[in-house]
Amino acid sequence: MSEHVIHLVDENRFVVNVNNTQAVLCYAMVNDPNVISGSGRCNFSSTFVPNELRGKGLAEKLVRHGLSWAKSQGLQVEASCWYVQKFLTST
């Protein structure tokens, strides 16, 4: 599957567009006064893939891309999304 993950920074989400449908991974930056300046936390809050796009690996593609981005930014990662939690516990 050649669909590209797009990072919509201003909307705090990653998306994959297929035809006129969109799969989405949402996140929030967490402000924590106890975190050292220059670093931060990212909470991946939800993953959504419409019914017609399910079973094609898009959720996994979004999560792997999002986690890679967070790592490249030096962010601590947390997940309130159960699907993203599976990736964090399997490492």
Side-chain angles (χ1 to χ4, degrees):
M1 180 166 275
S2 63
E3 286 79 11
H4 297 295
V5 176
I6 301 166
H7 187 188
L8 302 174
V9 178
D10 294 339
E11 298 177 26
N12 289 352
R13 61 191 184 131
F14 295 90
V15 301
V16 172
N17 295 306
V18 179
N19 300 325
N20 292 320
T21 310
Q22 192 172 72
V24 182
L25 170 64
C26 298
Y27 67 91
M29 298 305 295
V30 180
N31 294 325
D32 185 344
N34 297 321
V35 173
I36 299 169
S37 179
S39 65
R41 288 191 346 231
C42 178
N43 178 29
F44 289 97
S45 56
S46 66
T47 306
F48 176 74
V49 178
N51 288 336
E52 61 269 27
L53 298 179
R54 291 184 181 167
K56 299 179 180 187
L58 293 177
E60 180 177 353
K61 186 174 190 173
L62 284 164
V63 171
R64 290 192 185 283
H65 190 91
L67 292 175
S68 177
W69 166 80
K71 182 179 180 180
S72 75
Q73 299 300 305
L75 299 170
Q76 296 176 12
V77 173
E78 56 189 49
S80 52
C81 172
W82 68 268
Y83 187 76
V84 178
Q85 286 175 1
K86 291 184 353 178
F87 288 82
L88 298 179
T89 58
S90 66
T91 57

